């Protein structure tokens, strides 16, 4: 089983620095959004090419910010390195052997009541908009953006067993629900009962759900096509190539 080795502090700092450069050029590419999108990519059955992932992540701003070839290579190492780490954390064999082990440690901006109030006052947000500033929301936004953009890399199970996938997605979607909202209260009641759950429990549930999604993808991988080998003709039969010769005088001569 592969050990759960997460990114180092230096690697997270490099990712944050690259995202900050993109944000300064107008891209919606905060570290938590980028990590959510990369997590969705790592969860899928197959991995898309890294340049395609980066274009989805930052659009035209990526080429504007990282114009120099060396700069591009450095950025690809940063984002590609994080994607490789996430793929390793979501190693299907390890997840299957130890399903109760929480392997994901998402990059998220932590929101407090004080921080929410400060930003709301500075940006003149409405109470509803301020309530939406919750830990994990930006990460979940990135995750669903990645799922949508790279749906072709997820298996198509048709109508079979899609209810399980839907329920797992709902665990991640819960991170986007504003504090105090009726939808969040309903989710907590359905999933956790009268005791409810705090934000940390919601995050853990979302991470476990994504680990289960990875196993779902692997379990629903299309079966390889069976190669059918035709019967070898007899030595005196006509050669199947259509030459008119006997097989032993044509392709069977060897």
């Amino acid at each position: 089983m592969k050990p759960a080795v997460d990114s180092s502090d230096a690697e997270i700092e490099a990712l944050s620095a690259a995202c900050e450069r993109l944000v300064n050029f107008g891209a919606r590419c905060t570290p938590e959004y980028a990590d959510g999108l990369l997590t969705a990519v790592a969860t899928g059955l197959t991995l898309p090419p890294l340049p395609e992932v980066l274009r989805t992540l930052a659009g035209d701003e990526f080429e504007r910010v990282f114009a120099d070839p060396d700069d591009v290579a450095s950025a690809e190492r940063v984002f590609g390195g994080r994607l490789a780490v996430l793929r390793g954390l979501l190693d299907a064999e390890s997840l299957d052997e130890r399903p109760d082990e929480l392997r994901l440690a998402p990059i998220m901006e932590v929101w407090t009541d004080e921080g929410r109030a400060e930003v709301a006052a500075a940006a003149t947000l409405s109470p509803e908009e301020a309530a939406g500033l919750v830990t994990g929301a930006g990460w979940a936004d990135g995750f669903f953006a990645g799922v949508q953009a790279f749906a072709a890399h997820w298996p198509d199970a048709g109508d079979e067993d899609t209810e399980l996938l839907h329920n797992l997605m709902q665990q991640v979607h819960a991170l986007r629900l504003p504090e105090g909202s009726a939808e969040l209260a309903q989710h907590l009641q359905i999933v956790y009962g009268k005791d409810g759950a705090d934000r940390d429990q919601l995050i853990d549930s979302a991470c476990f759900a994504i680990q289960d999604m990875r196993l779902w993808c692997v379990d629903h991988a299309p079966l390889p096509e069976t190669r059918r080998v035709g019967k070898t003709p007899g030595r005196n039969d006509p050669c199947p190539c259509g030459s008119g010769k006997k097989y032993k005088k044509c392709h069977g001569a060897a």
Side-chain angles (χ1 to χ4, degrees):
M1 182 181 72
K2 293 183 179 179
V5 180
D6 204 350
S7 300
S8 66
D9 290 342
E11 290 169 333
I12 297 297
E13 290 176 5
L15 179 70
S16 298
C19 289
E20 183 178 358
R21 292 176 63 182
L22 289 166
V23 169
N24 289 337
F25 269 73
R28 185 188 179 183
C29 190
T30 63
E32 65 173 348
Y33 182 88
D35 193 54
L37 189 146
L38 293 174
T39 300
V41 174
T43 305
L45 184 60
T46 57
L47 292 176
L50 182 60
E52 184 179 343
V53 175
L54 297 178
R55 283 195 301 272
T56 301
L57 182 63
D60 295 338
E61 282 78 7
F62 186 87
E63 294 180 356
R64 293 170 57 198
V65 173
F66 304 104
D68 181 82
D70 290 339
D71 215 13
V72 171
S74 177
E76 288 180 344
R77 284 194 298 271
V78 169
F79 289 103
R82 180 58 179 169
L83 178 57
V85 166
L86 291 167
R87 190 70 163 183
L89 294 174
L90 292 170
D91 173 65
E93 182 178 353
S94 301
L95 294 174
D96 192 46
E97 290 182 1
R98 301 183 66 174
D100 296 329
E101 179 184 5
L102 183 60
R103 295 170 66 87
L104 289 175
I107 301 171
M108 293 181 179
E109 181 176 357
V110 178
W111 287 96
T112 62
D113 291 339
E114 294 77 10
R116 189 181 297 112
E118 182 179 344
V119 171
T124 61
L125 301 179
S126 68
E128 293 76 15
E129 291 172 328
L133 300 176
V134 291
T135 304
W139 186 84
D141 285 345
F143 180 83
F144 283 108
V147 170
Q148 182 177 8
F150 299 105
H153 292 269
W154 287 57
D156 182 10
D159 294 331
E160 180 185 352
D161 208 19
T162 53
E163 182 178 357
L164 172 59
L165 181 61
H166 172 76
N167 291 337
L168 294 173
M169 291 286 184
Q170 283 296 110
Q171 298 297 319
V172 183
H173 173 67
L175 297 180
R176 302 195 287 187
L177 302 179
E179 292 290 353
S181 67
E183 189 178 357
L184 178 59
Q186 183 181 30
H187 174 81
L188 295 177
Q189 176 65 34
I190 293 174
V191 177
Y192 300 97
K194 63 179 181 178
D195 295 332
D198 59 22
R199 181 59 49 171
D200 288 340
Q201 289 174 294
L202 287 176
I203 293 171
D204 286 352
S205 294
C207 290
F208 273 120
I210 290 171
Q211 293 179 184
D212 288 340
M213 283 184 215
R214 173 63 181 151
L215 291 176
W216 185 93
C217 286
V218 173
D219 289 344
H220 291 81
L223 296 175
E225 291 186 13
T226 303
R227 182 171 177 265
R228 297 184 178 181
V229 180
K231 180 182 177 182
T232 302
R235 287 174 50 78
N236 292 313
D237 291 338
C239 187
C241 74
S243 65
K245 298 179 181 180
K246 292 184 178 180
Y247 180 68
K248 67 181 179 180
K249 296 291 186 178
C250 192
H251 281 80

